[in-house]
Amino acid sequence: MDENIARLAALDKERTLLSHIGALLGWDQETYMPRAAVDERAEQLALIEGLAHEKAVAPEIGKILEELESQDSLDPLEKAYLRVCRREYDKETKLPSSLVTEMARATSLSQAAWAEARKNDDFASFAPHLERVLELNRQMAAALDPSAKAYDVLLDLYELGATEASISSVFAVMKADLLSVLDKIRGRPQVEDAFLRKKVSAAAQEKLNQRMIDVLGYDRERGRLDLTAHPFTTSLGKDDVRITTRFLEEYFPSGLFSTIHESGHALYELGLDLGPAYAGTRLSEAISTGIHESQSRMWENIIGRSKAFWKRLYPDLVSGTEGALEGVGLDEFIRSINKVEPSLIRTEADEVTYGLHVIVRFELESELVSGRLRVDDLPGAWDEAYKKLLGIKVPDDARGCLQDIHWSMGAFGYFPSYALGNLYAAQFWDAMKRDLPGLEKSIEEGDLSRPLGWLRKNIHSKGSAMSPAELVKDVTGETLDPKHFAAYLDGKYKTVYGY
């Protein structure tokens, strides 16, 4: 390795260590921290984020980058690392340290306020926090690129190269495809799924979910499963990737599929291995939240809701759900977990309507960031959008605009990643089936090492060496094309609904 690259990596790893400490504080806040500790935790996070920012903008990094950019002898991986470091250094140096620390402080307080507001269905108590976090996002966008639309700048932080226009174009095609499938399903008898709502204790679900992470290949020596209000995955180190879930006793699939989803994220994080020299650097991080989401959605839906996946596991599921699935056959269960019906909650939405939930958020946060929509008017705008696009009435803010944690975290621009993840996943799945003959038969026999091995080789091991667009082209031979997702949905739901 080039001497300057090695020094750059050493400085980069110091920033990563501080970021992981901050992530640990955040994980604790969402899992075990006592409620009264929130104010000091906000100060702790502000301090850590400020220190990490100082490491990221060290003048020595700028000097090393200039020296490296004048060299012609770097190998391809070193060149990729140089590109990543230059991109991130330029961003970090544009952000005032005061803004970084204030964002950390404000979002910590905001997340705590959101949790209470959702529990009490009290949007008014959360609104001032949302307004503050939104204003800080506008300030961040202006600092990063004052000549661009604020929302475009924020989108690029999560999906490299994305703009509101480019996402709108892709979503227009996806929306038409989703509504087409939904229209076909509406003409068919609805799937019976009442048995999924029989009570299954949290203790029983805990056993099932612990079993599931073993089945998926999640390494217990490098992570753990805990409970939280909103499931998430967080990396506290290359050998410490933790996942959380939640259990609804009146609907056990919520926890089950949340665990599979978060395991997909964790498997990706644990597979980001570009060798010891780059461990703990920006090169060994995910390239985008959309690619990240493709991994969780593939495991949760394409694999996890398939008959092949459950053929060997179903008897264990029946015996572990305290009689809820007694007398329910495998085919009936598969239809039930793939039922399509417009609903209130994004995280529990079916694969067809899920994208419509994301479109609502994409359009609303664009309006919020631009200032065209006032924070106080968000609940009404949310309710109107759900009625128009999904045809359902929102009964309260807890199941409306307060259902997601993301805006309280300051993550404006994140939501499109969820729908992009579905599109990426379907396209990757078609490439995987092309490369691995007999793939579905292997899954049916309980061999999940083949799909995981393919993902490790083709996606995980690339880290952030490529842009999302470059990665998709490299893996599939095509640019991102919604037709793969549309074909996947149409093929699945022809089977489920017989249209």
Side-chain angles (χ1 to χ4, degrees), residues 97-201:
S97 59
S98 58
L99 178 57
V100 173
T101 56
E102 179 56 26
M103 179 69 84
R105 180 182 297 107
T107 53
S108 180
L109 295 171
S110 177
Q111 288 174 70
W114 164 79
E116 285 299 301
R118 191 180 75 157
K119 184 173 67 175
N120 299 320
D121 186 26
D122 182 14
F123 179 78
S125 68
F126 174 60
H129 293 275
L130 180 58
E131 186 66 69
R132 178 57 178 158
V133 170
L134 184 57
E135 176 55 33
L136 290 172
N137 266 267
R138 294 191 188 107
Q139 291 179 25
M140 181 170 63
L144 290 171
D145 189 350
S147 66
K149 289 173 56 177
Y151 193 45
D152 283 349
V153 176
L154 298 176
L155 287 167
D156 183 71
L157 296 177
Y158 299 98
E159 198 65 21
L160 182 64
T163 63
E164 185 174 359
S166 67
I167 290 177
S168 293
S169 178
V170 172
F171 279 10
V173 176
M174 181 188 72
K175 179 180 176 181
D177 291 337
L178 296 178
L179 292 176
S180 174
V181 174
L182 187 58
D183 186 58
K184 294 173 185 176
I185 290 171
R186 281 177 171 148
R188 302 295 301 164
Q190 187 52 283
V191 167
E192 173 58 47
D193 70 339
F195 49 83
L196 296 180
R197 289 172 171 77
K198 292 182 179 180
K199 184 174 180 180
V200 178
S201 70

Side-chain angles (χ1 to χ4, degrees), residues 16-17 62 75-76 122 135 147 159 171 173 176 182 199 204 223 255 270 277 288 300 303 311 318 339 377 411 490:
T16 300
L17 288 172
D75 64 37
D122 182 14
E135 176 55 33
S147 66
E159 198 65 21
F171 279 10
V173 176
L182 187 58
K199 184 174 180 180
L270 292 169
S288 77
E300 177 194 356
I303 296 175
K311 188 165 185 179
V318 172
K339 179 179 180 179
D377 296 329
D490 196 47

Side-chain angles (χ1 to χ4, degrees), residues 274-394:
L274 285 89
Y278 294 104
T281 71
R282 296 184 187 276
L283 195 63
S284 294
E285 295 178 354
I287 184 56
S288 77
T289 51
I291 297 298
H292 221 309
E293 196 63 22
S294 75
Q295 304 304 286
S296 58
R297 299 296 282 179
M298 180 181 290
W299 285 105
E300 177 194 356
N301 292 326
I302 297 179
I303 296 175
R305 294 182 192 268
S306 70
K307 184 176 180 179
F309 179 75
W310 286 106
K311 188 165 185 179
R312 288 170 64 94
L313 294 172
Y314 190 59
D316 290 341
L317 183 65
V318 172
S319 64
T321 47
E322 301 179 321
L325 297 177
E326 196 68 40
V328 178
L330 174 59
D331 288 339
E332 190 178 0
F333 171 72
I334 295 301
R335 286 194 297 273
S336 74
I337 61 174
N338 288 293
K339 179 179 180 179
V340 173
E341 186 174 46
S343 59
L344 290 166
I345 308 301
R346 173 187 62 84
T347 56
E348 295 169 15
D350 58 79
E351 290 182 86
V352 177
T353 61
Y354 184 91
L356 303 179
H357 286 260
V358 174
I359 288 172
V360 167
R361 289 155 175 78
F362 167 62
E363 294 176 348
L364 288 177
E365 68 177 13
S366 170
E367 295 291 296
L368 285 168
V369 171
S370 70
R372 294 187 296 269
L373 176 63
R374 296 172 60 248
V375 166
D376 289 344
D377 296 329
L378 175 60
W382 182 287
D383 297 354
E384 183 180 346
Y386 263 70
K387 184 177 181 180
K388 179 180 179 181
L389 194 55
L390 286 147
I392 57 177
K393 180 177 174 57
V394 179

Side-chain angles (χ1 to χ4, degrees), residues 8 61-67 69 80-93 282:
L8 185 62
I61 293 177
K63 293 178 182 178
I64 293 173
L65 290 173
E66 289 181 4
E67 291 181 22
E69 286 165 343
Y81 183 47
L82 177 59
R83 287 195 302 272
V84 171
C85 287
R86 168 54 75 185
R87 182 175 68 239
E88 296 305 317
Y89 182 74
D90 287 349
K91 286 181 182 177
E92 294 274 8
T93 53
R282 296 184 187 276

Side-chain angles (χ1 to χ4, degrees), residues 59-80:
E60 184 181 357
I61 293 177
K63 293 178 182 178
I64 293 173
L65 290 173
E66 289 181 4
E67 291 181 22
L68 286 169
E69 286 165 343
S70 65
Q71 293 182 213
D72 298 321
S73 58
L74 301 180
D75 64 37
L77 201 55
E78 290 173 334
K79 290 178 180 178

Side-chain angles (χ1 to χ4, degrees), residues 343-464:
S343 59
L344 290 166
I345 308 301
R346 173 187 62 84
T347 56
E348 295 169 15
D350 58 79
E351 290 182 86
V352 177
T353 61
Y354 184 91
L356 303 179
H357 286 260
V358 174
I359 288 172
V360 167
R361 289 155 175 78
F362 167 62
E363 294 176 348
L364 288 177
E365 68 177 13
S366 170
E367 295 291 296
L368 285 168
V369 171
S370 70
R372 294 187 296 269
L373 176 63
R374 296 172 60 248
V375 166
D376 289 344
D377 296 329
L378 175 60
W382 182 287
D383 297 354
E384 183 180 346
Y386 263 70
K387 184 177 181 180
K388 179 180 179 181
L389 194 55
L390 286 147
I392 57 177
K393 180 177 174 57
V394 179
D396 51 56
D397 292 336
R399 287 173 286 182
C401 62
L402 285 173
Q403 67 179 267
D404 294 302
I405 195 173
H406 302 67
W407 289 337
S408 75
M409 296 165 52
F412 288 89
Y414 189 116
F415 277 120
S417 302
Y418 288 117
L420 291 173
N422 280 338
L423 302 181
Y424 288 138
Q427 195 157 334
F428 289 150
W429 178 249
D430 282 346
M432 189 189 297
K433 289 192 295 182
R434 175 198 67 202
D435 295 344
L436 301 177
L439 173 62
E440 288 164 307
K441 181 67 173 175
S442 298
I443 293 172
E444 186 177 296
E445 293 172 351
D447 181 8
L448 298 180
S449 65
R450 292 190 76 202
L452 180 57
W454 188 93
L455 293 170
R456 288 272 192 259
K457 176 184 176 182
N458 292 283
I459 298 172
H460 303 181
S461 66
K462 305 295 176 60
S464 59

